[in-house]
Amino acid sequence: MEMTTADLEQLGQRAQTASATLAQCSTTVKNTVLTAMAAALRTHASEILAANARDLENPQVPAKFVDRLKLTADRIDAMALGLEQVAGLPDPIGNVDRAWKNAAGLMIAKQRVPLGVIGMIFEARPNVTVDASALCFKTGNAVILRGGKEALHSNQALVQVLRAVLADQGLDENAIQLIQDTSHETAAKFMQLTGYVDVLIPRGSARLIQTVLQKATVPVIETGAGNCHVYVDQAAQLKMATEIVVNGKVQRPSVCNATEKLLIHEAVAKDYLPTIIQALRDHGVEVRGDAATQAIVPDVVPATPEDWGTEYNDLIIAVKVVQSEDEAIQHINRYNTQHSEAIVTDNYQAGKQFQQRVNAACVYINASTRFTDGFEFGFGAEIGISTQKLHARGPMGLAELTSYKYVIDGNGQVRQ
Amino acid sequence: MEMTTADLEQLGQRAQTASATLAQCSTTVKNTVLTAMAAALRTHASEILAANARDLENPQVPAKFVDRLKLTADRIDAMALGLEQVAGLPDPIGNVDRAWKNAAGLMIAKQRVPLGVIGMIFEARPNVTVDASALCFKTGNAVILRGGKEALHSNQALVQVLRAVLADQGLDENAIQLIQDTSHETAAKFMQLTGYVDVLIPRGSARLIQTVLQKATVPVIETGAGNCHVYVDQAAQLKMATEIVVNGKVQRPSVCNATEKLLIHEAVAKDYLPTIIQALRDHGVEVRGDAATQAIVPDVVPATPEDWGTEYNDLIIAVKVVQSEDEAIQHINRYNTQHSEAIVTDNYQAGKQFQQRVNAACVYINASTRFTDGFEFGFGAEIGISTQKLHARGPMGLAELTSYKYVIDGNGQVRQ
């Protein structure tokens, strides 16, 4: 069923109507609904698994997608648990960031409100359907979901369960809508639904995000790509450095906050490179190196110029020897994706310089880049990690799904 | 001299290089430079006026642009004063919004940083060149200016003065750059300078802003359009209502926070409409009315459906009688530009309902819509008024020209 622009506008209009009532929903009602959604997922687990089985039967699903796509009773329970956790989080809507009296005597309050209608574009993971719906609903936003075609039946089953709960609780079920037509043409039209969609959040591969950035006319929050560096300074504790580099590279290599590059000050390179390279190889990591690294550890894979800008998402790391911290910072600012960067040092000035001058969402002294995460930050949830500077940067929790309005109380003031 | 994409990328690269040093500039240095810029404008007033005279000599400048374009010694002094005022404002860069210790013992601080490179696209007012440069510089952002072709000589002269001060003070003069090629083709390329420009802020007519929204691939902050309403509730003090409506409409009708529409509860329409319409006409306002208004004041101009969505920027107002506050809110949310809306009422519930349910940057009880302004809000400056929900909403001062980064101090933490 191909959707026309008019179909999409209708869908956008329904989302807008739902968002207006949703914005006025009390926290108590929202939490009740989220808890009921969790229960409904558990109750309807068998239908969801049956729909998921239909997706998995599709012979066109690439083998590497199967694990992301596959649901089990445990995974459905994890989604339900996620809904309950979001119910337990503080609701940012209605909070007043600050309030003041202006010169004319007006009381001005900057109050948190929902963004309105959020468009989520994602790939094969059905859990994003539930996670994103929960976070958008808790923050009073209507959501329009466009998941990958591989997960269509799973997403349909999940959204049906969530919408039935909304209807049961007397709320507008169009607070959560799924685009059933997974064609690229319809996706492109969705990205241009200005006037209906307030922000698009793509989640998935670098290619997906680039497509959205190029095609969208609706504002986009860019997420995900992470070409993260660890710089081992001459004043580093080398044992700590090894733990941070190995953790950043091997603990979960496929994710965006994994460490992809290692920069080492030349003063410690000769002694330290053999140790750290061996430690990485012990974990199955392929080590690529620049000329200086090759001179010290001759059997590394020679790094090419493309390596410096590449996010491997794999057990590969590229190593470069730098002559100074300044060179390390300049290299990072040239090649990074503004995600997460770390220095290992015991030198106060070196650490502070690095934090101030490196251009990234998260800049660490003496810690693994893997900490860039809404849960690790204590936000209790995460809808993605922003790599842009506008609106939100770094891990995005509930607060980042809000905007604000100024509510102003007067007693007859007019402008002079 | 037509600019190629490569020329623009070079200009973008120079801005990025300048922004990296600018981000590390101390507040003291920035304030010294701003004060020196003010002095330099006064010193070079005669050159600036000569350049402005060349712009004014151009027979192709539309008559209505002449007042916006014209500089005088007083106007140059006002620009210099503006620079000195910005020097006196607190610097938001480096401020920590909040800091906390996470479960793993990391100290996480959310610290204000510049956006990076800001692109300003504007029309015939040369003062925007100086205002925008001052606000961007104070917040550590490099700025690329693209002013209207009518003001090219004036803008060249102003930018030359500002850049000479930067060079004098040992700073990178590319912190402020002017695009000298004012063709539409080059403007379109500029709007697509992703990777170099972090945000575009268009300032000017609705048509300019729409063009930027459609052509830009760089994130845009939408500013300016204001179809602002005043709703006179049945519980309004009518004398106060008249003062608020007349002030909103006539005090400066050409600006975006001027009142464009008047909604009146039917319970007070019969008694009040003749009074308020007479008061508006006494100030030379053309009053248009819906059928119910025409029934009470027969000689109003009949309002057409297009009136409800039109921003007049002129001494015109359209009046509509509504049966309830609910109808007023729904009408506003359908036709407004999310700028500024006001209710006049002494009823507590009516006021609070209006503030919570109306979707706009600024929602007033018992005050003129004309207060939506960075100076009136106490921000000490204004780069524009955002009518979008992402990043910034309403009057944008220095704080709205910043992003943030997380600076994180650890002592060897790795992710479990």
Side-chain angles (χ1 to χ4, degrees), chain A residues 307-319:
Chain A
D307 274 297
W308 309 120
T310 301
E311 181 185 13
Y312 304 116
N313 287 331
D314 205 346
L315 285 175
I316 304 171
I317 198 166
V319 185

Side-chain angles (χ1 to χ4, degrees), chain B residues 35 37-46 48 76-78 80-81 84 161:
Chain B
T35 308
M37 285 175 172
L41 282 188
R42 293 188 179 107
T43 308
H44 295 279
S46 60
I48 296 166
I76 291 174
D77 196 60
L81 216 59
E84 286 162 350
V161 171

Side-chain angles (χ1 to χ4, degrees), chain B residues 243-320:
Chain B
E243 285 167 7
I244 286 170
V245 172
V246 170
N247 181 260
K249 183 67 263 177
V250 312
Q251 201 240 357
R252 202 170 163 204
S254 65
V255 293
C256 60
N257 58 17
T259 300
E260 303 283 9
K261 300 296 176 309
L262 171 60
L263 306 179
I264 295 188
H265 193 284
E266 61 173 4
V268 293
K270 189 150 183 284
D271 286 344
Y272 182 57
L273 271 179
T275 314
I276 179 65
I277 289 174
Q278 190 54 51
L280 287 161
R281 286 176 172 168
D282 287 348
H283 286 86
V285 177
E286 173 186 320
V287 180
R288 304 182 185 178
D290 70 343
T293 304
Q294 294 167 44
I296 297 166
V297 183
D299 64 345
V300 295
V301 179
T304 66
E306 292 86 70
D307 275 297
W308 308 121
T310 301
E311 180 185 12
Y312 304 116
N313 287 332
D314 205 346
L315 284 175
I316 304 171
I317 197 166
V319 185
K320 183 182 169 68

Side-chain angles (χ1 to χ4, degrees), chain A residues 32 43 97 123 162 214 221 255 257 265 287 315 334 362 384 406:
Chain A
T32 303
T43 307
D97 293 1
E123 294 174 328
L162 301 181
Q214 277 160 24
I221 297 182
V255 294
N257 59 18
H265 193 285
V287 180
L315 285 175
R334 176 163 176 195
C362 302
Y406 291 103

